């Protein structure tokens, strides 16, 4: 049995606002295996973002442990955390996450610039990643000239281009309309299949939640259920599946 | 490999074009102010130096060691025994163009029943013409010509005091170093318009020979003034000559023009202080303006910076990103500033604008701004260090952002 990619043990994060203490996440225990496709489900304020920040090594827990590939993440210094984030993880956020003065291709290449790879290699891998997310032909557009859905795809390409083990996506569809959201999920499913990259994303939208193989429910910072909905290897797909990555027009 | 980071910095500067242009123009103006002021100040110093040296009749003054450091009154009794021997010794130095005797004396000048006190100088007419600006001060009559002739030139103030005009005969009275009274009748060759009123009221010039006869001090002189070849280092030559005259058994004290020119040094100090103060104000303005722009830019890009930190950009790299923007601004501003400085300089120098005479001078000079490569280098160094300083805090702020909070920033 290989060890899990990530394993959280009684992770707790409490925000302090003066006298008041607000629970972000309480005693969260679960693990993410390589190649999983899981959703963090829960209403607004249930602790999805807090938990994803902890798992993504962006935030540190007040108590509990986080093991990353078997190593205790709390023993890592800031530099090692940054390196882990750029080499092992991919991030997709809600919105406004691209550099507006860089083209789609450069935004994706940026993730490789951080690893100081040669420009040629950064560029060709970025172009490939953009093809993989269905944005071929839009490489030289800047974010301002792309639609919301296209921008999220560029972000996915950026998360993907470094070949991470796990992509963390905090409400990636929150700023998209439902049709565009469905197509972004189609892309996730497709990439998950073809690249064997694990996905952990959060959502409060039942239709998006329904697409995941495993569903972890959060309420008031606590994990209230953790079920694998569909059998291993099968992931529910939206009907009809969309083959096109071109959704919407630039707003 | 860092090319892409510079490119990104350049594009980030292009984000708010108007803001960048505004901040950039402060840098450009700062640069131009530095080079132009340096060029102008340099010209002023050159002019002031010329005036000072011409006022003295040369770069180096040799006096008897006993007279050194004394007032003119006290020094009058301590003359160089043989000015010609001193001059011959000094003229052996290749940097010396000429060695001119000067004899200082004072007394009364009389015409009819009017008299006035004077400050007299006996000098060599030909050498004086070559080395000093005195000839330019001749208002009426002709400059002294015959080294043997009993002739005088009077300051305008002095000539008015006794009612003398060019061509009139006056009597010059003095006390010899031995204390005896002596006098000579001499025609007025010229009336001088001397720019300093106090001196204009007292000045009297006479050829050296008759002056030395009047003083009963033939062959002696208060000083020997040396004119040097252009570019010679006065201090070095002075040291050399003092040394060699000492070996000849004729010890002198050699003073350079700079040592005696208290005025020049004070003006220079004043200018340098003004220049420094101006630079300080300039640097402050540039720092405030750019730091403000940069802080705004960091604030606006908070969310973006948070994302970059989240996807694994090192904090140091984030800081470098903003410092690069500052450096680029300094570089661009300096290049543009240098081009505009050169154009402005060419335009000013071609304009034919006349400057008022420098302090102590008689003539204004056409405006000429010197080209001083060092000032361009200084401008660049100043702008770069200023902008680095200005972007330091904003860059540090950006690098210290907490990615979680920054991403949530709206
Ligand atoms: N920076 C913060 N300061 C104080 N409280 C916070 C902060 N971030 C989140 N919280 C609180 O923590 C809880 C969980 O928030 P969050 O993780 O953002 O939930 P979700 O992403 O599911 O909406 C909420 O009650 C929220 O108000
Ligand atoms: Mg959230």
């Amino acid at each position: 049995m290989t060890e899990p990619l990530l394993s959280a043990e009684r992770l707790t994060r409490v925000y302090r606002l003066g006298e008041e203490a607000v629970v972000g996440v309480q005693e969260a225990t679960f693990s993410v295996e390589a190649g999983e496709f899981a959703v963090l489900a829960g209403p607004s304020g249930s602790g999805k973002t807090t938990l994803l920040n902890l798992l993504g090594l962006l935030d540190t827990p007040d108590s509990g442990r986080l093991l990353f590939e078997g190593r205790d993440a709390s023993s890592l210094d800031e530099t090692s955390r940054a390196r882990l984030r750029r080499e092992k993880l991919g991030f997709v956020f809600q919105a406004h996450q691209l550099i507006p003065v860089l083209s789609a291709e450069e935004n994706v290449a940026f993730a490789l610039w951080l690893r100081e790879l040669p420009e040629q290699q950064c560029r060709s891998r970025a172009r490939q990643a953009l093809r993989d997310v269905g944005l071929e032909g839009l490489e030289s557009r800047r974010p301002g000239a792309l639609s919301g859905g296209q921008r999220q795809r560029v972000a996915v390409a950026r998360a993907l281009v470094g070949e991470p083990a796990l992509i963390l996506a905090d409400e990636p569809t929150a700023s998209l309309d439902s049709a565009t959201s469905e197509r972004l999920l189609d892309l996730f499913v497709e990439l998950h299949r073809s690249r064997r990259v694990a996905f952990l994303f959060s959502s409060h939208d039942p239709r998006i939640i329904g697409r995941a193989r495993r569903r972890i429910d959060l309420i008031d910072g606590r994990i209230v259920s953790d079920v694998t909905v569909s059998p291993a290897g099968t992931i529910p797909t939206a009907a009809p599946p969309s083959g096109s990555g071109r959704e919407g027009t630039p707003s | 490999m860092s090319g892409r980071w510079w490119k990104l910095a350049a594009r980030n500067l292009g984000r708010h074009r108007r803001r960048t242009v505004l901040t950039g123009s402060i840098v450009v103006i700062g640069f131009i102010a530095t080079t132009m002021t340096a060029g102008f100040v340099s010209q002023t110093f050159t002019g002031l130096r010329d005036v000072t040296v011409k006022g003295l009749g040369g770069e180096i003054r040799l006096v008897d060691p006993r007279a050194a450091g004394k007032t003119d009154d006290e020094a009058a009794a301590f003359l160089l025994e043989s000015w010609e021997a001193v001059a011959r010794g000094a003229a052996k130095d290749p940097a010396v163009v000429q060695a001119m005797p000067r004899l200082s004396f004072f007394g009364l000048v009389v015409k009819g029943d009017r008299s006035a006190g004077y400050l007299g100088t006996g000098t060599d007419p030909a050498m004086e013409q070559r080395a000093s600006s005195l000839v330019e001060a001749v208002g009426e009559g002709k400059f002294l010509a015959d080294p043997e002739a009993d002739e005088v030139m009077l300051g305008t103030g002095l000539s008015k005091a006794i009612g003398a005009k060019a061509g009139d005969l006056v009597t010059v009275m003095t006390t010899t170093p031995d204390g005896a009274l002596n006098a000579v009748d001499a025609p007025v060759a010229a009336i001088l318009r001397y720019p300093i009123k106090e001196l204009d009221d007292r000045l009297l010039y006479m050829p050296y020979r008759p002056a030395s006869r009047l003083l009963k001090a033939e062959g002696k002189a208060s000083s020997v003034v040396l004119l040097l070849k252009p570019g010679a280092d006065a201090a070095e030559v002075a040291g050399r000559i003092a040394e060699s005259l000492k070996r000849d058994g004729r010890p002198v004290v050699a003073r350079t023009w700079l040592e005696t020119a208290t005025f020049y040094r004070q003006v220079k100090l004043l200018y340098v202080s003004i220049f420094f103060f101006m630079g300080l104000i300039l640097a402050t303005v540039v720092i405030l303006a750019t730091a403000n722009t940069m802080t705004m830019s960091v604030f606006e890009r908070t969310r973006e910076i948070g994302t970059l930190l989240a996807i694994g950009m090192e904090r140091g790299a984030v800081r470098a990103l903003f410092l690069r923007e500052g450096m680029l601004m300094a570089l661009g501003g300096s290049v543009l500033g240098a081009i505009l400085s050169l154009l402005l300089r060419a335009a000013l120098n071609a304009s034919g604008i006349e400057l008022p005479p420098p302090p102590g001078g008689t003539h204004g000079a056409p405006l000429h701004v010197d080209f001083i490569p060092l000032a361009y280098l200084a401008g660049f160094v100043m702008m770069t260090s200023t902008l680095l300083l200005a972007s330091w805090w904003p860059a540090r702020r950006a690098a210290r952002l907490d990615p979680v909070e920054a991403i949530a920033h709206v």
Side-chain angles (χ1 to χ4, degrees), chain A residues 78 85-86 100-101 106 116-117 119 142, chain B residues 1 4 11-12 309-310 312 314-315:
Chain A
E78 168 120 31
R85 289 202 299 269
R86 58 178 186 261
V101 294
E106 289 163 334
E116 287 169 27
L117 296 178
E119 189 65 8
R142 292 205 178 172
Chain B
M1 201 76 120
R4 51 201 178 202
R11 293 216 202 140
N12 277 332
L309 287 170
E314 303 276 355
R315 292 188 183 278

mmCIF file with all atom_site columns, all heavy atoms in Angstrom, chain A residues 78 85-86 100-101 106 116-117 119 142, chain B residues 1 4 11-12 309-310 312 314-315:
data_model
loop_
_atom_site.group_PDB
_atom_site.id
_atom_site.type_symbol
_atom_site.label_atom_id
_atom_site.label_alt_id
_atom_site.label_comp_id
_atom_site.label_asym_id
_atom_site.label_entity_id
_atom_site.label_seq_id
_atom_site.pdbx_PDB_ins_code
_atom_site.Cartn_x
_atom_site.Cartn_y
_atom_site.Cartn_z
_atom_site.occupancy
_atom_site.B_iso_or_equiv
_atom_site.pdbx_formal_charge
_atom_site.auth_seq_id
_atom_site.auth_comp_id
_atom_site.auth_asym_id
_atom_site.auth_atom_id
_atom_site.pdbx_PDB_model_num
ATOM 1   N N   . GLU A 1 78  ? 9.673  28.031 5.483   1.00 0.00 ? 78  GLU A N   1
ATOM 2   C CA  . GLU A 1 78  ? 8.938  28.767 4.469   1.00 0.00 ? 78  GLU A CA  1
ATOM 3   C C   . GLU A 1 78  ? 9.408  28.450 3.041   1.00 0.00 ? 78  GLU A C   1
ATOM 4   O O   . GLU A 1 78  ? 8.616  28.269 2.130   1.00 0.00 ? 78  GLU A O   1
ATOM 5   C CB  . GLU A 1 78  ? 9.089  30.267 4.766   1.00 0.00 ? 78  GLU A CB  1
ATOM 6   C CG  . GLU A 1 78  ? 8.632  31.172 3.654   1.00 0.00 ? 78  GLU A CG  1
ATOM 7   C CD  . GLU A 1 78  ? 7.516  32.079 4.081   1.00 0.00 ? 78  GLU A CD  1
ATOM 8   O OE1 . GLU A 1 78  ? 7.472  32.437 5.267   1.00 0.00 ? 78  GLU A OE1 1
ATOM 9   O OE2 . GLU A 1 78  ? 6.699  32.420 3.215   1.00 0.00 ? 78  GLU A OE2 1
ATOM 10  N N   . ARG A 1 85  ? 4.955  23.780 -2.905  1.00 0.00 ? 85  ARG A N   1
ATOM 11  C CA  . ARG A 1 85  ? 3.797  24.332 -3.608  1.00 0.00 ? 85  ARG A CA  1
ATOM 12  C C   . ARG A 1 85  ? 4.064  24.417 -5.099  1.00 0.00 ? 85  ARG A C   1
ATOM 13  O O   . ARG A 1 85  ? 3.211  24.113 -5.918  1.00 0.00 ? 85  ARG A O   1
ATOM 14  C CB  . ARG A 1 85  ? 3.445  25.729 -3.062  1.00 0.00 ? 85  ARG A CB  1
ATOM 15  C CG  . ARG A 1 85  ? 2.852  25.703 -1.665  1.00 0.00 ? 85  ARG A CG  1
ATOM 16  C CD  . ARG A 1 85  ? 2.046  26.958 -1.371  1.00 0.00 ? 85  ARG A CD  1
ATOM 17  N NE  . ARG A 1 85  ? 2.842  28.171 -1.431  1.00 0.00 ? 85  ARG A NE  1
ATOM 18  C CZ  . ARG A 1 85  ? 3.475  28.695 -0.379  1.00 0.00 ? 85  ARG A CZ  1
ATOM 19  N NH1 . ARG A 1 85  ? 3.401  28.108 0.805   1.00 0.00 ? 85  ARG A NH1 1
ATOM 20  N NH2 . ARG A 1 85  ? 4.162  29.800 -0.514  1.00 0.00 ? 85  ARG A NH2 1
ATOM 21  N N   . ARG A 1 86  ? 5.306  24.870 -5.458  1.00 0.00 ? 86  ARG A N   1
ATOM 22  C CA  . ARG A 1 86  ? 5.524  25.032 -6.901  1.00 0.00 ? 86  ARG A CA  1
ATOM 23  C C   . ARG A 1 86  ? 5.802  23.715 -7.594  1.00 0.00 ? 86  ARG A C   1
ATOM 24  O O   . ARG A 1 86  ? 5.528  23.581 -8.779  1.00 0.00 ? 86  ARG A O   1
ATOM 25  C CB  . ARG A 1 86  ? 6.590  26.061 -7.190  1.00 0.00 ? 86  ARG A CB  1
ATOM 26  C CG  . ARG A 1 86  ? 7.843  26.091 -6.796  1.00 0.00 ? 86  ARG A CG  1
ATOM 27  C CD  . ARG A 1 86  ? 8.686  27.245 -7.282  1.00 0.00 ? 86  ARG A CD  1
ATOM 28  N NE  . ARG A 1 86  ? 10.002 26.898 -6.793  1.00 0.00 ? 86  ARG A NE  1
ATOM 29  C CZ  . ARG A 1 86  ? 10.544 27.399 -5.702  1.00 0.00 ? 86  ARG A CZ  1
ATOM 30  N NH1 . ARG A 1 86  ? 9.948  28.366 -5.060  1.00 0.00 ? 86  ARG A NH1 1
ATOM 31  N NH2 . ARG A 1 86  ? 11.697 26.974 -5.285  1.00 0.00 ? 86  ARG A NH2 1
ATOM 32  N N   . PRO A 1 100 ? -2.294 40.298 -15.414 1.00 0.00 ? 100 PRO A N   1
ATOM 33  C CA  . PRO A 1 100 ? -2.955 40.934 -16.558 1.00 0.00 ? 100 PRO A CA  1
ATOM 34  C C   . PRO A 1 100 ? -2.004 41.372 -17.671 1.00 0.00 ? 100 PRO A C   1
ATOM 35  O O   . PRO A 1 100 ? -2.433 41.493 -18.809 1.00 0.00 ? 100 PRO A O   1
ATOM 36  C CB  . PRO A 1 100 ? -3.663 42.146 -15.941 1.00 0.00 ? 100 PRO A CB  1
ATOM 37  C CG  . PRO A 1 100 ? -3.070 42.328 -14.593 1.00 0.00 ? 100 PRO A CG  1
ATOM 38  C CD  . PRO A 1 100 ? -2.534 41.014 -14.161 1.00 0.00 ? 100 PRO A CD  1
ATOM 39  N N   . VAL A 1 101 ? -0.721 41.606 -17.352 1.00 0.00 ? 101 VAL A N   1
ATOM 40  C CA  . VAL A 1 101 ? 0.194  42.099 -18.394 1.00 0.00 ? 101 VAL A CA  1
ATOM 41  C C   . VAL A 1 101 ? 0.906  40.962 -19.124 1.00 0.00 ? 101 VAL A C   1
ATOM 42  O O   . VAL A 1 101 ? 1.738  41.216 -19.987 1.00 0.00 ? 101 VAL A O   1
ATOM 43  C CB  . VAL A 1 101 ? 1.242  43.091 -17.823 1.00 0.00 ? 101 VAL A CB  1
ATOM 44  C CG1 . VAL A 1 101 ? 0.553  44.355 -17.346 1.00 0.00 ? 101 VAL A CG1 1
ATOM 45  C CG2 . VAL A 1 101 ? 2.048  42.460 -16.705 1.00 0.00 ? 101 VAL A CG2 1
ATOM 46  N N   . GLU A 1 106 ? 2.239  33.160 -21.448 1.00 0.00 ? 106 GLU A N   1
ATOM 47  C CA  . GLU A 1 106 ? 3.210  33.594 -20.441 1.00 0.00 ? 106 GLU A CA  1
ATOM 48  C C   . GLU A 1 106 ? 2.710  33.321 -19.025 1.00 0.00 ? 106 GLU A C   1
ATOM 49  O O   . GLU A 1 106 ? 3.488  32.978 -18.136 1.00 0.00 ? 106 GLU A O   1
ATOM 50  C CB  . GLU A 1 106 ? 3.519  35.083 -20.610 1.00 0.00 ? 106 GLU A CB  1
ATOM 51  C CG  . GLU A 1 106 ? 4.349  35.378 -21.846 1.00 0.00 ? 106 GLU A CG  1
ATOM 52  C CD  . GLU A 1 106 ? 4.321  36.843 -22.267 1.00 0.00 ? 106 GLU A CD  1
ATOM 53  O OE1 . GLU A 1 106 ? 3.334  37.552 -21.949 1.00 0.00 ? 106 GLU A OE1 1
ATOM 54  O OE2 . GLU A 1 106 ? 5.274  37.274 -22.929 1.00 0.00 ? 106 GLU A OE2 1
ATOM 55  N N   . GLU A 1 116 ? 12.892 28.236 -12.849 1.00 0.00 ? 116 GLU A N   1
ATOM 56  C CA  . GLU A 1 116 ? 14.074 28.656 -13.611 1.00 0.00 ? 116 GLU A CA  1
ATOM 57  C C   . GLU A 1 116 ? 14.445 27.695 -14.724 1.00 0.00 ? 116 GLU A C   1
ATOM 58  O O   . GLU A 1 116 ? 15.613 27.420 -14.974 1.00 0.00 ? 116 GLU A O   1
ATOM 59  C CB  . GLU A 1 116 ? 15.256 28.892 -12.659 1.00 0.00 ? 116 GLU A CB  1
ATOM 60  C CG  . GLU A 1 116 ? 15.036 30.174 -11.859 1.00 0.00 ? 116 GLU A CG  1
ATOM 61  C CD  . GLU A 1 116 ? 16.022 30.344 -10.719 1.00 0.00 ? 116 GLU A CD  1
ATOM 62  O OE1 . GLU A 1 116 ? 17.128 29.809 -10.839 1.00 0.00 ? 116 GLU A OE1 1
ATOM 63  O OE2 . GLU A 1 116 ? 15.665 31.014 -9.740  1.00 0.00 ? 116 GLU A OE2 1
ATOM 64  N N   . LEU A 1 117 ? 13.411 27.191 -15.403 1.00 0.00 ? 117 LEU A N   1
ATOM 65  C CA  . LEU A 1 117 ? 13.673 26.331 -16.560 1.00 0.00 ? 117 LEU A CA  1
ATOM 66  C C   . LEU A 1 117 ? 13.978 27.205 -17.769 1.00 0.00 ? 117 LEU A C   1
ATOM 67  O O   . LEU A 1 117 ? 13.597 28.368 -17.811 1.00 0.00 ? 117 LEU A O   1
ATOM 68  C CB  . LEU A 1 117 ? 12.439 25.460 -16.841 1.00 0.00 ? 117 LEU A CB  1
ATOM 69  C CG  . LEU A 1 117 ? 12.078 24.477 -15.735 1.00 0.00 ? 117 LEU A CG  1
ATOM 70  C CD1 . LEU A 1 117 ? 10.824 23.699 -16.100 1.00 0.00 ? 117 LEU A CD1 1
ATOM 71  C CD2 . LEU A 1 117 ? 13.240 23.521 -15.482 1.00 0.00 ? 117 LEU A CD2 1
ATOM 72  N N   . GLU A 1 119 ? 13.767 29.124 -21.213 1.00 0.00 ? 119 GLU A N   1
ATOM 73  C CA  . GLU A 1 119 ? 12.600 29.766 -21.801 1.00 0.00 ? 119 GLU A CA  1
ATOM 74  C C   . GLU A 1 119 ? 11.910 28.880 -22.854 1.00 0.00 ? 119 GLU A C   1
ATOM 75  O O   . GLU A 1 119 ? 10.693 28.741 -22.857 1.00 0.00 ? 119 GLU A O   1
ATOM 76  C CB  . GLU A 1 119 ? 13.010 31.109 -22.414 1.00 0.00 ? 119 GLU A CB  1
ATOM 77  C CG  . GLU A 1 119 ? 11.857 31.994 -22.870 1.00 0.00 ? 119 GLU A CG  1
ATOM 78  C CD  . GLU A 1 119 ? 10.973 32.474 -21.716 1.00 0.00 ? 119 GLU A CD  1
ATOM 79  O OE1 . GLU A 1 119 ? 11.341 32.254 -20.544 1.00 0.00 ? 119 GLU A OE1 1
ATOM 80  O OE2 . GLU A 1 119 ? 9.911  33.041 -22.004 1.00 0.00 ? 119 GLU A OE2 1
ATOM 81  N N   . ARG A 1 142 ? -4.163 38.367 -23.813 1.00 0.00 ? 142 ARG A N   1
ATOM 82  C CA  . ARG A 1 142 ? -3.998 38.687 -22.399 1.00 0.00 ? 142 ARG A CA  1
ATOM 83  C C   . ARG A 1 142 ? -5.301 38.379 -21.667 1.00 0.00 ? 142 ARG A C   1
ATOM 84  O O   . ARG A 1 142 ? -6.366 38.332 -22.291 1.00 0.00 ? 142 ARG A O   1
ATOM 85  C CB  . ARG A 1 142 ? -3.636 40.159 -22.241 1.00 0.00 ? 142 ARG A CB  1
ATOM 86  C CG  . ARG A 1 142 ? -2.239 40.442 -22.798 1.00 0.00 ? 142 ARG A CG  1
ATOM 87  C CD  . ARG A 1 142 ? -1.621 41.641 -22.162 1.00 0.00 ? 142 ARG A CD  1
ATOM 88  N NE  . ARG A 1 142 ? -0.282 41.858 -22.690 1.00 0.00 ? 142 ARG A NE  1
ATOM 89  C CZ  . ARG A 1 142 ? 0.451  42.917 -22.445 1.00 0.00 ? 142 ARG A CZ  1
ATOM 90  N NH1 . ARG A 1 142 ? -0.032 43.876 -21.660 1.00 0.00 ? 142 ARG A NH1 1
ATOM 91  N NH2 . ARG A 1 142 ? 1.645  43.056 -22.937 1.00 0.00 ? 142 ARG A NH2 1
ATOM 92  N N   . MET B 2 1   ? 18.710 34.684 -18.442 1.00 0.00 ? 1   MET B N   1
ATOM 93  C CA  . MET B 2 1   ? 17.592 34.025 -17.774 1.00 0.00 ? 1   MET B CA  1
ATOM 94  C C   . MET B 2 1   ? 16.722 35.035 -17.043 1.00 0.00 ? 1   MET B C   1
ATOM 95  O O   . MET B 2 1   ? 15.536 34.851 -16.867 1.00 0.00 ? 1   MET B O   1
ATOM 96  C CB  . MET B 2 1   ? 18.152 33.009 -16.780 1.00 0.00 ? 1   MET B CB  1
ATOM 97  C CG  . MET B 2 1   ? 17.135 31.952 -16.422 1.00 0.00 ? 1   MET B CG  1
ATOM 98  S SD  . MET B 2 1   ? 16.905 30.723 -17.685 1.00 0.00 ? 1   MET B SD  1
ATOM 99  C CE  . MET B 2 1   ? 17.382 29.273 -16.763 1.00 0.00 ? 1   MET B CE  1
ATOM 100 N N   . ARG B 2 4   ? 13.338 37.636 -18.673 1.00 0.00 ? 4   ARG B N   1
ATOM 101 C CA  . ARG B 2 4   ? 11.872 37.635 -18.574 1.00 0.00 ? 4   ARG B CA  1
ATOM 102 C C   . ARG B 2 4   ? 11.386 38.436 -17.379 1.00 0.00 ? 4   ARG B C   1
ATOM 103 O O   . ARG B 2 4   ? 10.315 39.037 -17.420 1.00 0.00 ? 4   ARG B O   1
ATOM 104 C CB  . ARG B 2 4   ? 11.342 36.206 -18.515 1.00 0.00 ? 4   ARG B CB  1
ATOM 105 C CG  . ARG B 2 4   ? 11.994 35.324 -17.477 1.00 0.00 ? 4   ARG B CG  1
ATOM 106 C CD  . ARG B 2 4   ? 11.749 33.865 -17.876 1.00 0.00 ? 4   ARG B CD  1
ATOM 107 N NE  . ARG B 2 4   ? 12.385 32.939 -16.960 1.00 0.00 ? 4   ARG B NE  1
ATOM 108 C CZ  . ARG B 2 4   ? 12.688 31.678 -17.291 1.00 0.00 ? 4   ARG B CZ  1
ATOM 109 N NH1 . ARG B 2 4   ? 12.409 31.226 -18.497 1.00 0.00 ? 4   ARG B NH1 1
ATOM 110 N NH2 . ARG B 2 4   ? 13.239 30.870 -16.421 1.00 0.00 ? 4   ARG B NH2 1
ATOM 111 N N   . ARG B 2 11  ? 6.588  45.620 -18.349 1.00 0.00 ? 11  ARG B N   1
ATOM 112 C CA  . ARG B 2 11  ? 5.153  45.597 -18.646 1.00 0.00 ? 11  ARG B CA  1
ATOM 113 C C   . ARG B 2 11  ? 4.341  46.098 -17.457 1.00 0.00 ? 11  ARG B C   1
ATOM 114 O O   . ARG B 2 11  ? 3.329  46.760 -17.623 1.00 0.00 ? 11  ARG B O   1
ATOM 115 C CB  . ARG B 2 11  ? 4.720  44.179 -18.996 1.00 0.00 ? 11  ARG B CB  1
ATOM 116 C CG  . ARG B 2 11  ? 5.331  43.729 -20.297 1.00 0.00 ? 11  ARG B CG  1
ATOM 117 C CD  . ARG B 2 11  ? 4.360  42.872 -21.063 1.00 0.00 ? 11  ARG B CD  1
ATOM 118 N NE  . ARG B 2 11  ? 5.073  42.050 -22.011 1.00 0.00 ? 11  ARG B NE  1
ATOM 119 C CZ  . ARG B 2 11  ? 4.782  40.792 -22.276 1.00 0.00 ? 11  ARG B CZ  1
ATOM 120 N NH1 . ARG B 2 11  ? 3.759  40.215 -21.665 1.00 0.00 ? 11  ARG B NH1 1
ATOM 121 N NH2 . ARG B 2 11  ? 5.471  40.113 -23.143 1.00 0.00 ? 11  ARG B NH2 1
ATOM 122 N N   . ASN B 2 12  ? 4.789  45.769 -16.265 1.00 0.00 ? 12  ASN B N   1
ATOM 123 C CA  . ASN B 2 12  ? 4.072  46.256 -15.088 1.00 0.00 ? 12  ASN B CA  1
ATOM 124 C C   . ASN B 2 12  ? 4.106  47.776 -15.026 1.00 0.00 ? 12  ASN B C   1
ATOM 125 O O   . ASN B 2 12  ? 3.139  48.409 -14.612 1.00 0.00 ? 12  ASN B O   1
ATOM 126 C CB  . ASN B 2 12  ? 4.678  45.664 -13.820 1.00 0.00 ? 12  ASN B CB  1
ATOM 127 C CG  . ASN B 2 12  ? 4.137  44.268 -13.539 1.00 0.00 ? 12  ASN B CG  1
ATOM 128 O OD1 . ASN B 2 12  ? 3.007  43.957 -13.926 1.00 0.00 ? 12  ASN B OD1 1
ATOM 129 N ND2 . ASN B 2 12  ? 4.928  43.444 -12.899 1.00 0.00 ? 12  ASN B ND2 1
ATOM 130 N N   . LEU B 2 309 ? 2.595  34.243 -4.615  1.00 0.00 ? 309 LEU B N   1
ATOM 131 C CA  . LEU B 2 309 ? 3.190  33.588 -3.446  1.00 0.00 ? 309 LEU B CA  1
ATOM 132 C C   . LEU B 2 309 ? 2.604  32.191 -3.290  1.00 0.00 ? 309 LEU B C   1
ATOM 133 O O   . LEU B 2 309 ? 3.316  31.235 -2.990  1.00 0.00 ? 309 LEU B O   1
ATOM 134 C CB  . LEU B 2 309 ? 2.936  34.424 -2.192  1.00 0.00 ? 309 LEU B CB  1
ATOM 135 C CG  . LEU B 2 309 ? 3.753  35.711 -2.057  1.00 0.00 ? 309 LEU B CG  1
ATOM 136 C CD1 . LEU B 2 309 ? 3.218  36.557 -0.911  1.00 0.00 ? 309 LEU B CD1 1
ATOM 137 C CD2 . LEU B 2 309 ? 5.226  35.403 -1.837  1.00 0.00 ? 309 LEU B CD2 1
ATOM 138 N N   . ALA B 2 310 ? 1.277  32.061 -3.526  1.00 0.00 ? 310 ALA B N   1
ATOM 139 C CA  . ALA B 2 310 ? 0.616  30.774 -3.355  1.00 0.00 ? 310 ALA B CA  1
ATOM 140 C C   . ALA B 2 310 ? 1.167  29.737 -4.324  1.00 0.00 ? 310 ALA B C   1
ATOM 141 O O   . ALA B 2 310 ? 1.399  28.585 -3.939  1.00 0.00 ? 310 ALA B O   1
ATOM 142 C CB  . ALA B 2 310 ? -0.887 30.927 -3.557  1.00 0.00 ? 310 ALA B CB  1
ATOM 143 N N   . GLY B 2 312 ? 3.972  29.451 -5.347  1.00 0.00 ? 312 GLY B N   1
ATOM 144 C CA  . GLY B 2 312 ? 5.342  29.049 -5.019  1.00 0.00 ? 312 GLY B CA  1
ATOM 145 C C   . GLY B 2 312 ? 6.433  30.032 -5.362  1.00 0.00 ? 312 GLY B C   1
ATOM 146 O O   . GLY B 2 312 ? 7.602  29.687 -5.367  1.00 0.00 ? 312 GLY B O   1
ATOM 147 N N   . GLU B 2 314 ? 9.087  32.688 -4.565  1.00 0.00 ? 314 GLU B N   1
ATOM 148 C CA  . GLU B 2 314 ? 9.789  32.991 -3.314  1.00 0.00 ? 314 GLU B CA  1
ATOM 149 C C   . GLU B 2 314 ? 9.562  34.454 -2.953  1.00 0.00 ? 314 GLU B C   1
ATOM 150 O O   . GLU B 2 314 ? 9.428  35.305 -3.827  1.00 0.00 ? 314 GLU B O   1
ATOM 151 C CB  . GLU B 2 314 ? 11.294 32.763 -3.489  1.00 0.00 ? 314 GLU B CB  1
ATOM 152 C CG  . GLU B 2 314 ? 11.672 31.371 -3.927  1.00 0.00 ? 314 GLU B CG  1
ATOM 153 C CD  . GLU B 2 314 ? 11.780 30.388 -2.757  1.00 0.00 ? 314 GLU B CD  1
ATOM 154 O OE1 . GLU B 2 314 ? 11.653 30.833 -1.596  1.00 0.00 ? 314 GLU B OE1 1
ATOM 155 O OE2 . GLU B 2 314 ? 11.969 29.196 -3.019  1.00 0.00 ? 314 GLU B OE2 1
ATOM 156 N N   . ARG B 2 315 ? 9.577  34.730 -1.658  1.00 0.00 ? 315 ARG B N   1
ATOM 157 C CA  . ARG B 2 315 ? 9.379  36.116 -1.222  1.00 0.00 ? 315 ARG B CA  1
ATOM 158 C C   . ARG B 2 315 ? 10.457 37.028 -1.793  1.00 0.00 ? 315 ARG B C   1
ATOM 159 O O   . ARG B 2 315 ? 10.189 38.158 -2.203  1.00 0.00 ? 315 ARG B O   1
ATOM 160 C CB  . ARG B 2 315 ? 9.376  36.200 0.300   1.00 0.00 ? 315 ARG B CB  1
ATOM 161 C CG  . ARG B 2 315 ? 8.144  35.528 0.903   1.00 0.00 ? 315 ARG B CG  1
ATOM 162 C CD  . ARG B 2 315 ? 8.021  35.778 2.389   1.00 0.00 ? 315 ARG B CD  1
ATOM 163 N NE  . ARG B 2 315 ? 6.885  35.066 2.944   1.00 0.00 ? 315 ARG B NE  1
ATOM 164 C CZ  . ARG B 2 315 ? 5.644  35.499 2.890   1.00 0.00 ? 315 ARG B CZ  1
ATOM 165 N NH1 . ARG B 2 315 ? 5.368  36.645 2.301   1.00 0.00 ? 315 ARG B NH1 1
ATOM 166 N NH2 . ARG B 2 315 ? 4.657  34.803 3.413   1.00 0.00 ? 315 ARG B NH2 1
#
